[in-house]
């Protein structure tokens, strides 16, 4: 079956520009997560959604980062006024439910963002 | 979140068993122990999880110490495809995953 998909796979932008990264979760998964991963580090949590609402956005680094999931399916991570330090792989994951200790998260392949 | 400690890297020969250790001395009674791995240029993938008892699945086995302060992920017969970063994670109920740096496993042909 189809897994989590992310588009684009690569994005190169200039400092100060606005970017949108898209995540299509597995059909029927109510929970959706965004992480970002810098070179040599483990993924870092950004935000997660239960349905349409952001249940936990404590990992967003600052107000330049925003994410939406208007219909409880596809999610978009939006970054305003990009900085070189935003360069990373942005990972999306989904799971059947949240609030549980044992639900498996399924990850997409990531979007590699490069800010020049 | 409770923290885990893993070796930075390990090596193993192909077709031999691999034991990946993880220490989690501050684990709470409700923490599940999860293992994920990340193959090169891919997102992480779930491997196995457990609470108190040892667990087996098609990918690996998880051996949990009786006091739950440590655990070991066992790959019974490593292949080149098992070369990856392996993350040992504790989850307290909040569903976000807090990743550490994991163990980079090298498989020697």
């Amino acid at each position: 079956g189809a897994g989590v998909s992310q588009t684009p796979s690569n994005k190169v932008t200039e400092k100060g520009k606005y970017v949108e990264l898209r995540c299509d979760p597995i059909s029927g998964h109510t929970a959706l997560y965004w992480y970002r991963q810098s070179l040599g580090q483990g993924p870092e949590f950004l935000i997660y959604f239960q349905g349409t609402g952001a249940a936990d956005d404590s990992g967003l680094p600052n107000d330049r980062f925003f994410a939406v999931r208007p219909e409880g399916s596809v999610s978009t991570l939006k970054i305003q006024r990009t900085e070189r330090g935003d360069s990373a792989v942005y990972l999306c994951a989904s799971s059947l439910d949240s609030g549980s200790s044992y639900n498996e998260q399924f990850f997409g392949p990531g979007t590699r963002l490069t800010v020049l | 979140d409770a923290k885990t400690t893993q070796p930075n890297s390990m090596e193993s020969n192909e077709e031999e068993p691999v034991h990946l250790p993880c220490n989690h001395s501050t684990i709470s009674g409700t923490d599940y122990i999860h293992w994920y791995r990340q193959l090169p240029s891919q997102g992480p993938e779930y491997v196995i999880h457990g609470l108190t008892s040892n667990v087996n699945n098609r990918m690996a086995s998880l051996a949990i110490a009786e006091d739950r302060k440590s655990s070991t992920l066992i790959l019974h017969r490593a292949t080149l495809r098992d070369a990856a970063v392996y993350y040992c994670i504790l989850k307290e109920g909040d569903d976000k995953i807090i990743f550490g740096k994991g163990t980079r496993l090298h498989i020697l042909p």
Side-chain angles (χ1 to χ4, degrees), chain A residues 35-37 41-45 91, chain B residues 38 44 87 97-100:
Chain A
Y35 299 83
R36 73 175 175 181
Q37 187 170 26
Q41 304 294 317
E44 172 192 10
F45 168 77
L91 294 162
Chain B
Q38 188 170 21
Y87 298 99
I97 296 176
I98 306 298
F99 289 90

Side-chain angles (χ1 to χ4, degrees), chain A residues 10-89:
Chain A
N10 280 284
K11 176 72 177 176
V12 180
T13 190
E14 293 180 343
K15 181 175 178 295
K17 299 290 188 183
Y18 168 83
V19 295
E20 290 189 353
L21 311 179
R22 177 187 168 109
C23 173
D24 283 79
I26 293 172
S27 177
H29 280 192
T30 56
L32 183 145
Y33 316 81
W34 283 99
Y35 299 83
R36 73 175 175 181
Q37 187 170 26
S38 301
L39 195 62
Q41 304 294 317
E44 172 192 10
F45 168 77
L46 296 176
I47 184 171
Y48 93 79
F49 290 87
Q50 173 61 9
T52 60
D56 183 351
D57 64 358
S58 62
L60 294 177
N62 52 59
D63 61 6
R64 295 187 297 106
F65 288 74
F66 189 71
V68 295
R69 194 185 185 201
E71 297 178 359
S73 176
V74 171
S75 176
T76 305
L77 178 66
K78 308 180 180 194
I79 311 174
Q80 299 177 321
R81 305 182 305 279
T82 52
E83 300 177 356
R84 291 193 180 90
D86 298 334
S87 297
V89 176

Side-chain angles (χ1 to χ4, degrees), chain B residues 44-85:
Chain B
E45 64 175 349
Y46 167 84
V47 177
I48 200 167
H49 77 273
L51 183 61
T52 55
S53 303
N54 294 345
V55 183
N56 299 296
N57 66 21
R58 64 175 180 81
M59 289 181 72
S61 295
L62 177 59
I64 301 172
E66 195 169 334
D67 64 4
R68 300 210 326 128
K69 294 186 176 182
S70 66
S71 60
T72 302
L73 179 71
I74 302 165
L75 307 179
H76 294 286
R77 192 166 168 270
T79 69
L80 294 176
R81 195 195 171 276
D82 292 320
V85 178

Side-chain angles (χ1 to χ4, degrees), chain B residues 16-56:
Chain B
E16 291 187 356
V18 182
H19 291 234
L20 295 162
C22 181
N23 287 320
H24 28 79
S25 58
T26 58
I27 190 170
S28 75
T30 54
D31 282 334
Y32 279 75
I33 302 160
H34 289 246
W35 284 80
Y36 280 72
R37 73 178 185 181
Q38 188 170 21
L39 302 172
S41 300
Q42 295 188 26
E45 64 175 349
Y46 167 84
V47 177
I48 200 167
H49 77 273
L51 183 61
T52 55
S53 303
N54 294 345
V55 183
N56 299 296

